[in-house]
Each structure stands twice: as structure tokens, then as C-alpha cells.
Amino acid sequence: MSDSNTTHFFNPSTFILLGVPGLEAAHVWISIPFCTMYAIAILGNFTILFTVKTDPSLHGPMYYFLCMLAITDLVVTTSIVPKMLAIYWFNSREINFSSCLIQLYFIHCFSGMESGIFLAMAFDRYVAICHPLRHSTILKNPVVTNIGLAMMLRSGFLALPFPLLVRQWPYCRTNVIPLSYCAHIAVVKLACADTRISSYYGLFLIFCVIGLDVLFIALSYIQILRAVFSLPTKDARIKTFRTCISHLCSILAFYIPNLFFSLMYRFGQNVPLHFHVLIANIYLLMPPVLNPIIYGVRTKQIRDRLHRLFTHKGT
């Protein structure tokens, strides 16, 4: 390869986001479900934040962690959807190199933070069910704050190598990204360098960070199930375990799409590119859309508070 080819796209000033390759004519129609999902995510998560803030009875560890989850979901969706809609509506495909790195960082940082928050919520459920008399003394407000800060710092530091590695590589093939946002895997494929360190680091995060989160969540629920089945009556067991249903549903809504997308990206070479792109869009938007719905429907305290708010306004 000639020197001119190897240096032509060295640190390009912009990347080109294609949206959904092969379905450009349908971009306006494709934007409708994504715009709807974004609106639901914004409305639902702000409703959770407002409800918890205005009701003193919800000022407890579980709801503080839920607020952290809502803020994380708002950041993730706002990091990708406005640019995605600009591509679909106005054909605004260019994204500045630095903006691409920032978007890439925010996606990895806050996705990792979401996993950490689910772990913190599992710990809250473990303490509440296995050590109910000590719940208020173990999970005091300063402890909850420190857990939130620890998860934020962990995710912030662990996501930092992604943009730093991407920034130092030469780009000699093209500056076109066949997605609607700057995904790390897609940007790595454009580099004309040995990118194995990035792949190894990504695998390290999956197995040693996300994997450990899932392991500790599973251990928490093993202890929770032991405590639940030790209760004397069936009604008590059902009532106690119901307090975990919302958390379990949110965990499934987060980890299953992540796993499916990772497997499809690595092993789905025969899957059409536009299907890859649509799944990549959906898997990031599903948790922010579903989390407020799950907690709003399943959590009695939030349902009651919302009912009182709307009833009062109607009166």
C-alpha cells in the first residue's frame, strides 16, 4: 500500500454516518419508531425523577438507585438519538472526529454505569430481604451516594481507553461508518493499524467487568431465593419476591439485547447489514424505554404517587 493511501485519512476531521445502509429511501419511515422510543424514554425517565423528587415516602435507597438509572438512560439516549434523527430527517451524515469520540465514550461509559447500577440495586434487594432490620443502617444516604460515585468513576475510567486508542490510530481505508452513531467496533474496523489491543480490552470489559456484575447479581439472587423459600407461608414468599420483579425485568431488558448484539456482530456474517444496524439502534434504546415502564407499572408506590398527582390535577 502506498504512503499516500496510508496517510490520506490520518485522523480524519469528520466521519460519515450512513444511517441504515440500503434503506436510505425509507429513512423517514424508519425514524418514526425511533423518535417514538426516544419520546417515551424522555417522558418516562423524567416522570420517574419527578415522582421520586416530589414524594418524600420514595426517598429511600431503592428509589435513589432508580433515579441514577433514569439519569443514565437519559444520557445514553440523548447521546445517540438526536444525531440519528438528523441523519434520517435531514441527511445530516457528517460528524466531527472529536464529536464521534465523545459520543463513543458516552455510550460505553453510561452503558457500563447502567450495569453497575443494576448490581447496586441487586445489593439493595439482598439487604432488604435477607437483612430487613439492618437495611436502613447499612444503606444510609451517604453509603448510597458513595456507591453511585463509585459506579460513575469505575465506568468513566474503564471507558476512557476506547476514545484514546481510537484517536491515535491512522485511518487509510475510508471515513464512512455504516451505522447511525459512532460505535467503537465500527470505528475500529476503519483503522489501518493493529487493533488487537482494543479487541482484547473490549473482551476484558465484557468478561471481567460486566461478567463480574452479572455474577454478583446472580449470587445476590441466590441468597434472596434462599431467604424467600425459608419464609413460612406461600403468600409471604410471593409478596417478598414481588419486590424483585421490576429489577429482574430491567436486568433482562439490559443484558439480553447486549448479549444478542455482541453474538450477532461477531458471528452473524451472513446477516444483512441493514439488520445489523437496526439491531444496533434498538439494543441501546430498549432499556431506557422499558425501565420507566417496568418500574411505573410494577412498583406500587410509584403507581400510587402518579395516580395522586393526576387525580389532584384533574380535581
Side-chain angles (χ1 to χ4, degrees):
M1 187 176 289
S2 67
D3 291 341
S4 61
N5 285 338
T6 58
T7 58
H8 183 65
F9 283 116
F10 186 81
N11 285 343
S13 59
T14 60
F15 284 115
I16 305 298
L17 300 171
L18 292 185
V20 186
L23 297 178
E24 288 85 358
H27 271 177
V28 173
W29 297 106
I30 293 172
S31 72
I32 294 174
F34 290 117
C35 183
T36 304
M37 292 173 75
Y38 184 51
I40 293 171
I42 294 293
L43 179 62
N45 285 292
F46 269 118
T47 300
I48 292 290
L49 292 171
F50 175 77
T51 303
V52 174
K53 185 181 185 301
T54 56
D55 191 343
S57 68
L58 300 180
H59 292 179
M62 173 183 169
Y63 300 102
Y64 290 148
F65 289 134
L66 181 57
C67 287
M68 295 178 197
L69 186 65
I71 293 170
T72 302
D73 286 339
L74 287 169
V75 174
V76 170
T77 53
T78 305
S79 297
I80 62 171
V81 177
K83 181 59 182 176
M84 185 190 301
L85 295 179
I87 295 169
Y88 295 157
W89 290 344
F90 310 114
N91 202 32
S92 176
R93 299 183 176 189
E94 287 193 358
I95 183 169
N96 182 272
F97 184 75
S98 297
S99 300
C100 183
L101 296 185
I102 292 170
Q103 186 184 60
L104 183 152
Y105 175 77
F106 269 58
I107 291 170
H108 282 280
C109 176
F110 284 90
S111 295
M113 196 181 302
E114 189 153 353
S115 179
I117 292 170
F118 282 130
L119 174 58
M121 296 172 88
F123 177 66
D124 169 70
R125 290 298 83 209
Y126 162 74
V127 175
I129 292 173
C130 299
H131 305 283
L133 298 179
R134 299 173 56 197
H135 183 257
S136 58
T137 57
I138 293 175
L139 286 172
K140 295 180 179 179
N141 286 350
V143 174
V144 173
T145 303
N146 289 336
I147 291 173
L149 286 173
M151 293 305 164
M152 183 173 68
L153 291 173
R154 184 191 76 160
S155 300
F157 282 118
L158 290 175
L160 199 57
F162 287 118
L164 294 180
L165 289 170
V166 167
R167 190 175 186 84
Q168 72 178 10
W169 288 328
Y171 295 88
C172 60
R173 295 189 180 96
T174 178
N175 64 341
V176 176
I177 299 174
L179 288 173
S180 305
Y181 58 88
C182 288
H184 175 256
I185 299 175
V187 178
V188 166
K189 287 188 173 182
L190 304 181
C192 289
D194 186 353
T195 60
R196 284 180 295 179
I197 184 173
S198 182
S199 299
Y200 294 152
Y201 186 69
L203 290 173
F204 164 75
L205 289 187
I206 290 173
F207 289 107
C208 297
V209 179
I210 305 298
L212 283 176
D213 287 350
V214 172
L215 175 62
F216 285 125
I217 289 171
L219 291 175
S220 296
Y221 271 96
I222 289 171
Q223 296 300 316
I224 287 170
L225 288 172
R226 289 178 61 185
V228 167
F229 284 116
S230 68
L231 295 173
T233 65
K234 181 179 178 181
D235 288 342
R237 291 194 290 270
I238 292 174
K239 184 178 179 181
T240 302
F241 191 70
R242 274 180 178 171
T243 62
C244 302
I245 297 297
S246 297
H247 181 237
L248 284 171
C249 290
S250 291
I251 287 174
L252 294 175
F254 177 76
Y255 287 112
I256 289 179
N258 263 284
L259 177 63
F260 179 73
F261 175 71
S262 298
L263 292 174
M264 188 188 71
Y265 207 94
R266 284 168 174 80
F267 305 111
Q269 287 81 7
N270 297 325
V271 177
L273 180 58
H274 65 266
F275 188 77
H276 271 282
V277 175
L278 291 172
I279 293 298
N281 294 345
I282 291 170
Y283 103 95
L284 281 177
L285 289 177
M286 270 188 63
V289 171
L290 293 179
N291 287 337
I293 295 174
I294 291 168
Y295 276 94
V297 171
R298 292 292 314 173
T299 307
K300 183 177 184 298
Q301 292 89 333
I302 293 178
R303 286 203 315 271
D304 291 345
R305 176 59 179 167
L306 288 173
H307 182 263
R308 291 199 300 272
L309 280 173
F310 288 119
T311 303
H312 177 73
K313 287 183 179 180
T315 305

